Amino acid sequence: MATIAIIGGSGPEGRGLGLRFAMGGHAVILGSRDASRGREAAEAVAALSPGVAVSGALNAEAAAAAEWVVLSVPYEGLGDTVRDLAPSLDGKPVVSVVAPLAFEGGQPRAVLVPEGSAAELVQGLAPGARVTSAFHNLSAKELLKPDERLAGDVIVCGDDAQAKADTLGLVDIIRDLRGVDGGPLSNSRIVEELTALLLYVNMRAKSRATIKLLGLD
């Protein structure tokens, strides 16, 4: 099993994914801009599922120590974060879960990314990284409940065939989720923007709707 660093791992989504990856047998490092916040997040996650391998560290330390890096930071800080970490990302699989969003009048909308998508921004700033995008449309609340049965499909996009296959495998260790090959990294824009639509639907319906593709074997 791999050591996975989650950059921005002290936030709800980062903690939720960290919990699920650790439950699947991986060693997880929750990175943060503040080392104490990273450690506190790790302690909270470990308490949810005793025996899992979860620790906390500074983002830079986490990225350097891990074999695999997951980016779970706000879009506004993504560029600076990747620039700082780029040397530690070289040659590693890097999964972007970032969905660029803004809220106007309490309603979510997708943010136009000049590079096409957040994932393509990451690839441009860390050209040596093996970037994929995934896990955009999962509920952090559900991820953080270890006994909660998740449902739905996780679309995985990427230009590196092996990194994409590995990311699909990472999806499959989370019970009841299915990884779906979503094509090249440029398709990440579609999945990222869909997050705004799902948030709007869920806010209006007070639901937790997600993606499920029909007709696949």
Side-chain angles (χ1 to χ4, degrees):
M1 291 294 183
T3 299
I4 302 175
I6 302 185
I7 307 305
S10 59
E13 196 76 15
R15 285 185 284 117
L17 287 172
L19 171 63
R20 297 296 180 147
F21 297 155
M23 288 172 60
H26 293 291
V28 173
I29 308 172
L30 299 181
S32 175
R33 291 179 296 176
D34 183 300
S36 63
R37 287 185 63 194
R39 289 192 294 269
E40 289 170 4
E43 290 171 2
V45 168
L48 294 172
S49 183
V52 296
V54 183
S55 60
L58 289 170
N59 281 332
E61 295 172 348
E67 304 160 68
W68 203 326
V69 177
V70 175
L71 297 170
S72 180
V73 298
Y75 171 66
E76 293 75 15
L78 180 62
D80 289 341
T81 298
V82 175
R83 289 186 191 93
D84 291 343
L85 300 180
S88 295
L89 305 182
D90 196 45
K92 295 179 180 179
V94 175
V95 184
S96 171
V97 305
V98 179
L101 297 171
F103 286 83
E104 295 179 351
Q107 296 185 2
R109 67 170 180 84
V111 172
L112 179 66
V113 179
E115 292 79 7
S117 66
E120 290 170 286
L121 169 62
V122 173
Q123 187 68 87
L125 294 175
R130 301 161 57 215
V131 179
T132 60
S133 66
F135 302 108
H136 299 93
N137 306 128
L138 301 178
S139 164
K141 290 182 179 180
E142 293 182 354
L143 286 169
L144 282 165
K145 297 176 181 178
D147 296 325
E148 185 85 7
R149 297 193 65 173
L150 304 176
D153 292 332
V154 174
I155 310 297
V156 179
C157 302
D159 295 331
D160 184 299
Q162 187 59 57
K164 185 160 59 173
D166 290 343
T167 305
L168 287 165
L170 190 61
V171 175
D172 289 340
I173 70 168
I174 303 178
R175 187 181 62 179
D176 296 325
L177 290 183
R178 179 177 62 173
V180 176
D181 186 340
L185 200 64
S186 59
N187 282 350
S188 301
R189 175 183 61 82
I190 301 167
V191 188
E192 292 173 8
E193 291 181 351
L194 186 59
T195 305
L197 173 62
L198 286 170
L199 279 174
Y200 177 82
V201 169
N202 286 330
M203 287 170 63
R204 290 292 299 271
K206 295 183 171 60
S207 63
R208 293 181 183 173
T210 187
I211 296 173
K212 184 68 175 178
L213 301 178
L214 304 179
L216 298 178
D217 294 332

